[in-house]
């Protein structure tokens, strides 16, 4: 019988350090409270909100609001669980380190490497998206050149110090927040007919119920909409990884966890409500131009497309910056726990896990190459096989919290400063909802849902087998040493 995991096991919290023999001094508290606040706010605003919302609107009509509300509720509950564990023990490994203690090394190994895999693929997706926009502005530089430039610049930023990452992300996220806030205010005024100088004949709350009703394609479209929007929420957990390098980790985690509700309500539900109120959901311009560009165009705002391209580019750069940071810190944590080469846990004198960053970005470059050379074969496999990782992560967080609550209560009850609501019932209900979404994806052939789940399960199974074999090998070695 295995022993009960304890809070004192690896995943050290604010003072995370690498291998005892490293040349650095471990991760350092280089993130200021203003950095963490903006990382937490910006983390829920991904480029997917601007780019992918038009397909969701076309699928579910105004009912896409319910899809966003369902997924938003799911994210709020998962973040509450993660906040409970991370406030008690802030660490750069976040949910992977918690799973390691709560469920066993196999769980921390598996979900940590899957999460790392997810983000290095995202690096390629975002670098390509950003390169397309930049090439449109300056065509003299080829698209692959822009992808290379963007990746190199943000790699250099992450290599300098965690403070430079935080500063870049502060401004990237700040631009996103200001832009979407302005969009909601301007669009809201137009919906109610009080925006000076604008007389939009299409705007009005009547768009929510006319043109086929609130659910023009029936209630089932809400679930299909869930499948289309669920992945745009990935990134909410970044604040809990970054907390380990902040001035006050517990405060940072508590604040970001408590503010998740209004962040999702304002930025997701608020902005989508404005979009579907400014234009009929079936307006051709939404599909042709994108939902936010079409909404701005309907108000007669000049250069709406270029304005939105700038905002999307900012979101892409923010996602790239955070993706590289997140992948490297997860690799660092895996190295710390012996689940990755020890070199991953070494830091420079500035507290930067240089090897973990470079390895992550190298794999990101490889993925970018596949995107240009084999977009419909190798890269499509990478994209689909990492697509359901977000849901796997959320499911592991649920099961980790069920056990970690008991461990925290037994060993350090004073650290339980953030509590999951209605524990354990709401935790089980959240896990059931995630399993239901995964099951529903298996029935979705129109949007590649089935292929995404099956390929993601295949990759997860391979990683899990490696984790179990590794654990058995280590156990065998330990028994051999004990016999000697």
């Amino acid at each position: 019988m295995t022993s009960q995991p304890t809070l004192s096991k690896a995943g050290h919290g604010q003072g995370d350090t690498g291998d005892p023999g490293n040349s650095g001094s471990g991760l350092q508290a280089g993130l200021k409270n203003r950095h963490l606040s903006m990382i937490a706010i910006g983390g829920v605003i991904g480029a997917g909100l601007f780019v992918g919302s038009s397909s969701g609107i076309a699928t579910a009509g105004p009912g896409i609001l319910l899809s966003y509300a369902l997924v938003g509720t799911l994210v709020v509950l998962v973040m509450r669980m993660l906040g409970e564990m991370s406030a008690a023990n802030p660490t750069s490994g976040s949910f992977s380190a918690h799973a390691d203690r709560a469920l066993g090394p196999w769980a921390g190994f598996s979900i940590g490497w899957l999460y790392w895999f997810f983000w290095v693929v995202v690096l390629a997706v975002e670098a390509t998206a950003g390169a397309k926009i930049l090439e449109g502005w300056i065509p003299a530089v080829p698209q692959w050149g822009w992808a290379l430039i963007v990746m190199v610049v943000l790699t250099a930023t992450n290599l300098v110090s965690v403070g430079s990452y935080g500063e870049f992300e502060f401004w990237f996220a700040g631009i996103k927040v200001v832009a979407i806030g302005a969009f909601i205010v301007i669009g809201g005024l137009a919906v109610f007919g009080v925006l000076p100088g604008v007389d939009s004949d299409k705007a009005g709350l009547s768009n929510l119920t006319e043109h086929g009703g609130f659910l023009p394609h029936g209630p089932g479209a809400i679930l299909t909409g869930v499948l289309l929007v669920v992945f745009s929420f990935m990134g909410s957990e970044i604040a809990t990884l970054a907390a380990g390098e902040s001035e006050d980790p517990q405060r940072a985690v508590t604040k970001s966890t408590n503010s998740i509700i209004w962040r999702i309500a304002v930025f997701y539900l608020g902005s989508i409500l404005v979009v579907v109120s400014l234009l009929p959901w079936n307006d051709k311009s939404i599909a042709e131009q994108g939902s936010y560009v079409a909404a701005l165009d309907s108000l007669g705002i000049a250069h709406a497309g270029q304005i939105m391209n700038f905002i999307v580019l900012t979101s892409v750069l923010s996602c790239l910056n955070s993706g590289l940071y997140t992948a490297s810190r997860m690799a660092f944590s895996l190295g710390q726990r012996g689940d990755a080469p020890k070199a991953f846990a070494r830091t420079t004198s500035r507290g930067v896990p240089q090897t973990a960053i470079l390895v992550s970005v190298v794999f990101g470059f490889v993925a970018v190459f596949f995107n240009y050379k084999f977009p419909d074969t190798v890269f499509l496999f990478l994209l689909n096989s990492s697509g359901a990782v977000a849901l796997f992560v959320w499911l592991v967080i649920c099961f980790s919290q069920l056990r970690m609550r008991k461990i925290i209560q037994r060993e350090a009850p004073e650290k339980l400063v953030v509590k999951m609501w209605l524990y354990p019932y709401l935790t089980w209900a959240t896990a059931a909802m995630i399993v239901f979404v995964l099951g529903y994806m298996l029935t979705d052939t129109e949007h590649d849902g089935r292929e995404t789940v099956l390929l993601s399960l295949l990759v997860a199974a391979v990683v899990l087998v490696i984790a179990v074999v590794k654990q058995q090998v280590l156990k065998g070695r330990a028994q051999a040493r004990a016999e000697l």
Side-chain angles (χ1 to χ4, degrees), residues 50-68:
F50 300 108
V51 179
S53 54
S54 55
S55 59
I57 293 171
T59 299
I64 195 65
L65 286 166
L66 297 181
S67 302
Y68 274 104

Side-chain angles (χ1 to χ4, degrees), residues 71-392:
V71 179
T73 301
L74 201 61
V75 172
V76 167
L77 295 174
V78 169
M79 281 298 296
R80 187 73 184 183
M81 297 177 221
L82 183 55
E84 176 181 297
M85 296 184 288
S86 295
N89 187 27
T91 170
S92 60
S94 189
F95 51 82
S96 174
H98 303 321
D100 186 286
R101 291 193 299 278
L103 305 176
W106 63 270
F109 178 99
S110 302
I111 205 64
W113 276 113
L114 285 172
Y115 190 69
W116 178 87
F117 172 56
F118 170 85
W119 279 109
V120 294
V121 174
V122 166
L123 290 180
V125 174
E126 300 297 341
T128 304
K132 285 181 180 177
I133 295 174
L134 288 166
E135 186 190 31
W137 291 344
I138 308 177
V141 179
Q143 196 178 113
W144 65 266
W146 279 120
L148 181 65
I149 291 169
V150 166
M151 291 277 275
V152 168
V153 169
L154 292 180
T155 300
T157 300
N158 275 264
L159 285 172
V160 171
S161 70
V162 68
S164 63
Y165 154 73
E167 200 63 35
F168 265 72
E169 190 56 25
F170 177 82
W171 291 106
F172 284 152
I175 292 171
K176 287 192 294 185
V177 169
V178 170
I180 203 165
F183 174 81
I184 291 171
V185 171
I186 293 171
L189 291 174
V191 168
F192 291 102
V194 292
L195 184 65
V198 171
D199 182 23
S200 177
D201 56 344
K202 294 183 178 180
L205 293 177
S206 59
N207 284 325
L208 298 176
T209 53
E210 293 179 356
H211 315 288
F214 186 70
L215 294 171
H217 299 307
I222 297 172
L223 290 176
T224 306
V226 165
L227 304 186
L228 295 174
V229 306
V230 66
F231 303 110
S232 65
F233 282 83
M234 194 65 169
S236 306
E237 70 292 330
I238 291 174
T240 64
L241 279 89
E245 295 175 84
S246 68
E247 299 166 339
D248 187 350
Q250 191 178 75
R251 178 178 176 273
V253 170
T254 303
K255 188 176 179 181
S256 66
T257 302
N258 290 336
S259 63
I260 188 73
I261 297 175
W262 72 259
R263 285 185 276 136
I264 288 176
V266 172
F267 296 125
Y268 277 87
L269 294 179
S271 64
I272 294 297
L273 175 60
V274 168
V275 170
V276 294
S277 297
L278 284 175
L279 287 168
W281 68 270
N282 55 357
D283 193 293
K284 291 182 179 180
S285 62
I286 292 179
E288 293 170 356
Q289 300 174 279
S291 52
Y292 287 80
V293 174
L296 289 175
D297 261 347
S298 73
L299 301 180
I301 295 177
H303 310 295
Q306 292 303 324
I307 293 171
M308 192 50 59
N309 272 340
F310 173 74
I311 296 169
V312 171
L313 178 63
T314 303
S315 296
V316 163
L317 294 177
S318 171
C319 191
L320 260 175
N321 195 37
S322 288
L324 183 53
Y325 171 84
T326 305
S328 65
R329 267 38 176 200
M330 186 56 72
F332 169 84
S333 179
L334 288 166
Q336 231 185 357
R337 290 177 272 138
D339 291 335
K342 288 184 179 180
F344 284 23
R346 296 191 185 121
T347 58
T348 65
S349 59
R350 297 183 301 275
V352 175
Q354 181 173 289
T355 303
I357 291 174
L358 292 176
V359 170
S360 299
V361 82
V362 163
F363 275 88
F365 276 127
V366 170
V368 169
F369 170 76
F370 286 144
N371 194 7
Y372 285 113
K373 196 70 176 175
F374 312 106
D376 299 323
T377 52
V378 180
F379 187 74
L380 188 62
F381 170 80
L382 292 176
L383 200 60
N384 287 334
S385 61
S386 64
V389 167
L391 293 169
F392 295 165

